[in-house]
Each structure stands twice: as structure tokens, then as C-alpha cells.
Amino acid sequence: MIHQLQPLRQSFYRRGAKVVAEDLLGKWILRRVGTDDLVMRIVETEAYLGTSDRASHAWNGRRTERTSTLYRSGACAYVYLVYGLHHCLNAVTGSQGEGEAVLIRAGEPVSGEKLMMANRNLEGEVLSGAIGGGPGKLCQALAIDRSSDGTSLLEGNLVITAGDPVSAGQIATGPRVGIDYAQEAVDWPLRFALRGNPHVSRPRIV
DNA sequence: CGGAAGATCCACT
DNA sequence: GTGGATCTTCCGA
């Protein structure tokens, strides 16, 4: 538990979003809410490649108030609201001005599952994936909203730590979800998940 | 200032 | 598999 809770270093994030997305699988999100600690193991990610990626909020160098934190350097959180009601957590990667980030799409509870379920308004027995099986669910379970936008992932109450090792053979790859508008980028294989993990969101990839 | 779209989720069929 | 919820953000006029 000691090693696994070591925060990842800044150098981990100062790389391209694709390799960071793969390397984030198996890492742990450590979230402190008041005096409670929540731990979620990352099981699914997507890379967004910045200004050259039509699916990215940074496409073509677009700069808006919402996306200002996306253009910072790794490692800070980029949190935004989609569809007016769901939050999405990203880790900003690379250097300042690039607009690269990794969307944390799904996680598996490691510790603090009861509080996560309360945050999700769940009780009793629940199916795998009900707690953290999607970017909106994961944020709700961990009580993450826009107030975490721009905060450091290296220290404070939202940190990503070493977690447990994942081998290359465990990683499934596929096209990203919910970006039908992205034209030539629609099929880019930038979605990564732990093969066979029941907490991965839909549609499944193998 | 108005309209449209959106890196989702849930219930229902 | 499909459609509705829901409202912020963004862009064009």
C-alpha cells in the first residue's frame, strides 16, 4: 500500500497523451473528501492529442474560457461539464500550449466504496461498473466537479499514485467514444482499457 | 442575443 | 438499441 500511494511525478505527465493514457491504466486516483480517503483504480482512458485532433477541445488551437487549463503543462486536472450535467476528469499532459490530455473514462473502487456509492445515490448490491464505469459516474463517485479544474495532480486532495503494475498484454485498444463529429479522427485507436475488466464502460473493447 | 451541440447516463423496449 | 433529460458553452449574427 505504501509504494502504491506514491504520487506519480511531473515527468510522468510531461509526455505525449497517448503514452500517458496507456501508462495510467492500473494507477490509483487518491481523492480526499474532508477526512475521508477514496481510492479508485484506473481501468479505462482516452488520449486527446490537442490542436491536431478534431475530437479535442483544443482542436485547431481553439481557446475558450472553459479550456484554458487544457493548455497548461502536465500535471494538472482539466475538469469540464458535458451535456449540462456530467463532469469529466482529465489529466493534462505534455508541455504548455499543446492542449494534450487524457480522459479518465472508468475506474474500479479500491477503498471507500461505501462513500462512493452514497455519492452515486446507490445502495445494496450493484452491478460492476455502476460506481465508476464511465467518466460521469467516476466523477460523481469521487465528488469531482469544476472546483477541481486546474488543481495539481501531484499533491492536494486529488492525486494520481503509482497503483499496481499492468503488462502490455492486458491492454485493449479501440476507437474513442462519443466523438462521431470528429471526421478523420473518429477511428483513431486512442481508447485504452484493461482487457476483460468488468468496470470498463460501454461499448466494450477486446 | 439566440440557437445548437455536446469526450454522458438512465430507463425503457 | 433508442430516445429523453438537462444546461453550460460556444459561435455566428
Side-chain angles (χ1 to χ4, degrees):
Chain A
M1 200 80 170
I2 298 298
H3 165 75
Q4 288 164 317
L5 293 175
Q6 279 298 314
L8 301 172
R9 305 170 68 99
Q10 189 171 58
S11 57
F12 178 93
Y13 298 93
R14 296 246 171 135
R15 303 178 294 161
K18 183 181 178 190
V19 62
V20 175
E22 294 185 79
D23 285 353
L24 276 175
L25 295 176
K27 303 297 190 286
W28 291 2
I29 302 170
L30 179 58
R31 170 67 168 157
R32 183 159 296 152
V33 181
T35 58
D36 294 303
D37 281 327
L38 304 176
V39 182
M40 187 88 90
R41 178 174 179 246
I42 298 172
V43 301
E44 182 185 354
T45 61
E46 281 178 359
Y48 286 83
L49 304 185
T51 57
S52 63
D53 180 358
R54 204 176 283 266
S56 168
H57 292 165
W59 158 246
N60 203 23
R62 226 174 90 211
R63 273 181 185 271
T64 66
E65 188 165 354
R66 173 176 73 156
T67 60
S68 64
T69 61
L70 180 54
Y71 285 95
R72 294 203 204 162
S73 56
C76 70
Y78 168 48
V79 182
Y80 65 90
L81 190 63
V82 269
Y83 297 104
L85 61 164
H86 303 295
H87 291 278
C88 291
L89 170 65
N90 296 253
V92 175
T93 74
S95 305
Q96 186 174 13
E98 294 182 333
E100 294 207 16
V102 175
L103 171 66
I104 312 297
R105 273 198 66 86
E108 163 180 35
V110 172
S111 175
E113 185 169 340
K114 271 193 169 170
L115 185 51
M116 293 184 199
M117 287 180 59
N119 289 338
R120 292 267 303 126
N121 301 310
L122 298 170
E123 33 184 84
E125 294 296 313
V126 295
L127 298 174
S128 296
I131 299 177
K137 297 180 194 176
L138 183 141
C139 280
Q140 189 181 19
L142 295 178
I144 293 170
D145 59 23
R146 285 281 285 170
S147 64
S148 291
D149 183 52
T151 62
S152 172
L153 295 174
L154 308 177
E155 59 183 357
N157 57 23
L158 178 59
V159 172
I160 301 180
T161 71
D164 47 86
V166 167
S167 67
Q170 291 176 261
I171 300 177
T173 304
R176 295 172 291 181
V177 178
I179 55 154
D180 293 343
Y181 55 86
Q183 301 179 34
E184 77 280 356
V186 160
D187 295 318
W188 291 359
L190 295 177
R191 180 184 182 206
F192 305 98
L194 292 182
R195 188 163 276 143
N197 186 288
H199 295 82
V200 172
S201 69
R202 296 186 11 185
R204 289 286 159 71
I205 48 178
V206 290

